[in-house]
Amino acid sequence: MDLNADLGESFGTWTRGDDAAMFPLVTSASVACGLHAGDPVTMLDTCRAAYELDVRVGAHLGYPDLAGFGLRSLDMTFDDLFGAVLYQLGALDGVAHAVGASVDYVKMHGALYDRTVRDAEHAAAVISAIQAYDPGLPVLGFPGSALLETAREAGHPVFGEAYPGRAYLPDGTLVPRPQEGALLQDAGEIAGRAVRLATKGEIEAVDGTVIRVRPDSLCLQADTPGSAAMAAVVRKSLADAGVELEPFA
């Protein structure tokens, strides 16, 4: 099982998350590419740390919305979104290569992640840009999403992820982050859900419905208080359950 986290989200003098504490706990790092978060120095430091710790680097692609941290859905044209994706891929890929690393997969962020679950047009723009840049680049996303279906049809390797630290609705989607209870806080509960996902391929929704899902990766929260300590409990619980941790890419 792969463990991924969104890292490299600091910008200038503004710090988000504790990347130094998270890096030893994950096998894949989705790195902000400078449009929704991150900056050249942060990208460089993050890619260097990933390379030194043998953590896979993913391009974490978002809307061009630094002020809103990429959490606001933008009605971009196909060409504008196509260009924004290419811009981010090129930027992170160049920085990664400078320190000996490489971009091994892509993942959407925030509002773009949510939008491409159901919006086929936005999914098509994103995948067309990825296809133009690197036809074999793996895509990590939400199982059953328009993004993964479009990527699969275009010939990209696709991988699904699950969120042990997020509450699920009965239809298999996530409770929106602004809603109360969307983010779980108990490390033991989160670890138990992670082990259940990895060993049984299932997770319980807010109403008790058991949702079947076979994730290739588990996404760990990295930007909430105590997230590194929670991630450490998750990793240890998976190891104790006999789950081998390795990158999916």
Side-chain angles (χ1 to χ4, degrees):
M1 180 60 68
D2 175 72
L3 293 179
N4 83 82
D6 303 340
L7 302 176
E9 294 181 332
S10 298
F11 179 79
T13 59
W14 180 70
T15 301
R16 185 178 181 90
D18 187 353
D19 287 8
M22 287 296 297
F23 257 116
L25 304 173
V26 299
T27 50
S28 298
S30 303
V31 182
C33 302
L35 288 192
H36 76 270
D39 58 37
V41 173
T42 300
M43 291 162 64
L44 186 65
D45 290 344
T46 307
C47 288
R48 184 182 290 115
Y51 177 73
E52 292 173 350
L53 293 170
D54 197 26
V55 171
R56 296 295 185 270
V57 172
H60 202 200
L61 309 174
Y63 285 122
D65 180 26
L66 274 175
F69 190 57
L71 300 180
R72 301 179 292 192
S73 185
L74 303 182
D75 290 326
M76 300 178 71
T77 67
F78 186 100
D79 286 347
D80 284 345
L81 186 52
F82 182 98
V85 169
L86 280 180
Y87 181 94
Q88 294 174 84
L89 282 172
L92 187 66
D93 194 37
V95 169
H97 276 90
V99 298
S102 60
V103 173
D104 297 317
Y105 69 95
V106 295
K107 174 184 171 178
M108 303 307 110
H109 163 80
L112 185 57
Y113 188 106
D114 295 339
R115 183 82 172 257
T116 54
V117 168
R118 294 188 175 88
D119 190 322
E121 184 176 349
H122 271 224
V126 168
I127 297 303
S128 293
I130 298 170
Q131 178 84 0
Y133 191 84
D134 182 349
L137 198 56
V139 180
L140 176 66
F142 202 76
S145 63
L147 182 79
L148 290 193
E149 183 59 31
T150 304
R152 184 180 291 108
E153 291 174 353
H156 288 269
V158 298
F159 298 89
E161 64 177 345
Y163 291 79
R166 292 285 301 275
Y168 275 71
L169 295 170
D171 65 357
T173 60
L174 301 175
V175 174
R177 283 188 70 138
Q179 291 188 18
E180 184 177 354
L183 296 177
L184 306 184
Q185 303 297 329
D186 183 84
E189 179 185 6
I190 295 170
R193 287 161 69 88
V195 170
R196 186 174 180 180
L197 280 163
T199 59
K200 297 183 178 181
E202 60 185 34
I203 193 167
E204 189 172 308
V206 291
D207 68 345
T209 300
V210 175
I211 301 166
R212 300 290 298 175
V213 57
R214 293 279 181 184
D216 302 293
S217 181
L218 301 179
C219 183
L220 303 179
Q221 298 299 322
D223 59 356
T224 53
S227 53
M230 291 183 186
V233 175
V234 169
R235 184 174 177 114
K236 183 179 185 304
S237 296
L238 288 168
D240 290 346
V243 177
E244 184 178 356
L245 299 177
E246 60 181 13
F248 68 88

